[in-house]
Amino acid sequence: MNATTRTNQYEGPCLVCGEIVPAGQGVLLPGGHGGWEVYHPEHAREPAPPPRGGHPGWHRRRLMAVDIATTGNRTGIDRILAVAVRTTDGQSRDWLIDPGPGLAIDPGKTHGITLDRACADGVPASAALEELAAHLAGHLATKDPLIVWHAPYVLTFLESELLRHGLRVLSDRRPAGLFPICDPLILDRHVDRFRSGGRALETVAEWYGVPHDRDGKPGSDAEAALVLAQVLGACHASVGRLSRPALHYEQVRWREEQAREAEEFDPSRKRDHRWPLGTVEALPWEPPAAAGP
């Protein structure tokens, strides 16, 4: 049985034929509007995302996506090593960044960039970050969404690095700040709350049939997030038809709901409710914690 299916605990009518399915003899599948629907096993459909619609919306505009590779996951301490920007009209920009001496890369990072390579071939961090920030601000000036998978991670990293190097943060370069942002992770969790399985970028991309060949590489991740945003808007008209301001502000609300529900499920683990930006701070470097035995 597919990992996203369950056996029905209670009897109920089959969604296809309408006849009662005895408890324990049917298949439960996620419903299109939340909750679960019961089927006879022979009537159960293979779980799949909704078909893509032809409705207009923000997902048909010129979109830009950004992703980063870092020395680790601590937004105020670790450093950016590489950045990739992709757009729906086929343009791309990549930066390899020299983060400076005396650092280390967390062993859990999978991007494959070494410090030797970054220091030898990378652009000095201040120059690369200034060019990147100007590039992103230029896109935000068009009022079309900037696509950022797990936006609080990427954007907080970027703002912290700009602050570290004495550069103007991106949120101060536009009157509206970091707006409009589109985070496909927030969208997917909103439109398909009950889908089983992980929500990593490669997992969600696979669910929607979006190619993603090199997990952890900024260029591959940015391209996957870009296409995934388009597909989510096309598959879910309730999201795709939102105005660009509504898309941004609804994600603020959805993130709050998602964090609250996660904390109710596991009270021992607190979530940061803020979106699209966390705490921006430039802290002194310290080595990553050693892995346990």
Side-chain angles (χ1 to χ4, degrees):
M1 184 175 291
N2 190 287
T4 61
T5 63
R6 301 178 181 177
T7 301
N8 61 318
Q9 185 177 358
Y10 305 100
E11 69 173 27
C14 174
L15 196 69
V16 173
C17 69
E19 296 188 5
I20 295 298
V21 183
Q25 297 183 26
V27 174
L28 286 178
L29 293 173
H33 301 285
W36 296 81
E37 297 167 342
V38 63
Y39 298 80
H40 287 103
E42 64 271 21
H43 294 157
R45 54 179 170 76
E46 184 68 21
R52 303 179 192 184
H55 51 275
W58 57 266
H59 57 291
R60 294 182 175 274
R61 301 183 66 90
R62 181 183 185 272
L63 306 177
M64 176 180 287
V66 60
D67 201 82
I68 61 176
T70 64
T71 59
N73 296 327
R74 304 164 299 175
T75 56
I77 298 174
D78 281 300
R79 311 298 164 84
I80 296 177
L81 296 174
V83 183
V85 170
R86 300 290 184 267
T87 61
T88 51
D89 60 6
Q91 297 185 32
S92 64
R93 294 286 302 273
D94 294 273
W95 290 264
L96 181 64
I97 298 175
D98 176 4
L103 307 178
I105 296 178
D106 190 302
K109 302 306 287 185
T110 61
H111 48 64
I113 300 171
T114 65
L115 284 174
D116 286 345
R117 179 190 166 205
C119 292
D121 301 332
V123 177
S126 58
L129 291 165
E130 174 59 35
E131 188 176 4
L132 169 65
H135 191 60
L136 298 180
H139 176 76
L140 291 174
T142 69
K143 301 182 180 179
D144 284 330
L146 177 65
I147 312 301
V148 193
W149 177 268
H150 197 358
Y153 175 81
V154 174
L155 295 178
T156 304
F157 239 116
L158 173 58
E159 295 287 76
S160 296
E161 283 282 69
L162 290 167
L163 179 66
R164 183 188 316 281
H165 291 278
L167 303 171
R168 191 178 182 189
V169 294
L170 182 58
S171 52
D172 285 346
R173 297 185 184 224
R174 296 297 310 155
L178 293 172
F179 177 92
I181 305 299
C182 172
D183 187 339
L185 176 59
I186 298 296
L187 300 190
D188 179 60
R189 284 175 169 165
H190 171 71
V191 299
D192 206 349
R193 292 171 56 200
F194 299 98
R195 190 177 78 243
S196 300
R199 301 284 174 152
L201 175 56
E202 61 269 25
T203 304
V204 179
E206 181 180 8
W207 172 253
Y208 282 97
V210 173
H212 186 216
D213 299 329
R214 303 178 68 193
D215 173 38
K217 310 296 184 183
S220 179
D221 287 355
E223 182 67 27
L226 182 67
V227 178
L228 188 55
Q230 294 178 295
V231 172
L232 281 159
C235 288
H236 302 279
S238 61
V239 169
R241 290 184 180 274
L242 290 172
S243 69
R244 287 167 285 171
L247 173 69
H248 182 100
Y249 291 122
E250 285 291 83
Q251 288 174 97
V252 175
R253 183 170 65 87
W254 295 338
R255 171 55 187 166
E256 171 66 30
E257 292 174 350
Q258 293 163 11
R260 186 172 61 251
E261 289 177 359
E263 288 174 349
E264 289 173 355
F265 180 78
D266 182 4
S268 67
R269 184 179 176 187
K270 295 300 181 182
R271 269 76 172 180
D272 192 337
H273 294 220
R274 292 170 296 177
W275 185 93
L277 192 64
T279 301
V280 175
E281 54 187 355
L283 301 176
W285 168 258
E286 60 182 57

